[in-house]
Amino acid sequence: MLAWNVTAIAFVVMVGGIGELAVGQLDGAVDAITGNGSAIRHQMQADQAHDALRAAVLAALLAGDADSAARDAAEHTAQFHEMMANLDRQVKDPAIRAAVDKVKPDVDAYLHSVGGILALSDPAAARAAAASRGRAPGPAMITM
């Protein structure tokens, strides 16, 4: 009888240990999923800021409203920088980190080109500058 009790207690301890191990692994997986979900949200917001910047450039080129477009572009550029910084802080996965690092020079060039196009006071010159970047009207697209 004592042997059965010892066996039962050992079995219960073993099941408890396995359960504790499983909970620890699930906790790590949940943290990774939460971090990746947050990174995806910041990437989507950065993409929306990209679209808003493109709209500001188009407004300046097509409507000739450079002042309003410059204000919008400054706001969306700051938002874009903030979202990229958040994304940069949250990415832990090495493959995603490599992709974020790879796109950073394109993002910087894109944001610089927005300012350059908006700085041109002549809409025809701005359209020509946008066309020279590969897409008319507006700066080159970024793939993220």
Side-chain angles (χ1 to χ4, degrees), residues 2-121:
L2 181 62
W4 285 107
N5 287 341
V6 170
T7 304
I9 290 172
F11 181 72
V12 168
V13 168
M14 184 178 71
V15 168
I18 291 170
E20 182 68 27
L21 180 64
V23 167
Q25 289 178 345
L26 285 174
D27 188 40
V30 167
D31 289 344
I33 289 169
T34 301
N36 287 341
S38 182
I40 289 170
R41 181 175 50 86
H42 289 298
Q43 188 276 329
M44 290 173 59
Q45 289 174 334
D47 185 52
Q48 290 173 346
H50 160 258
D51 293 339
L53 281 168
R54 186 166 174 84
V57 169
L58 287 171
L61 296 177
L62 300 176
D65 189 5
D67 292 336
S68 176
R71 284 191 303 275
D72 287 346
E75 177 185 336
H76 296 300
T77 298
Q79 185 182 30
F80 202 108
H81 280 297
E82 179 184 344
M83 292 303 115
M84 288 300 293
N86 288 340
L87 183 62
D88 202 32
R89 280 192 301 274
Q90 291 183 335
V91 170
K92 304 284 191 262
D93 182 85
I96 298 172
R97 164 66 45 215
V100 169
D101 290 342
K102 181 181 175 186
V103 79
K104 280 182 187 178
D106 292 335
V107 169
D108 292 337
Y110 176 77
L111 294 175
H112 181 72
S113 71
V114 168
I117 291 170
L118 292 176
L120 296 171
S121 59

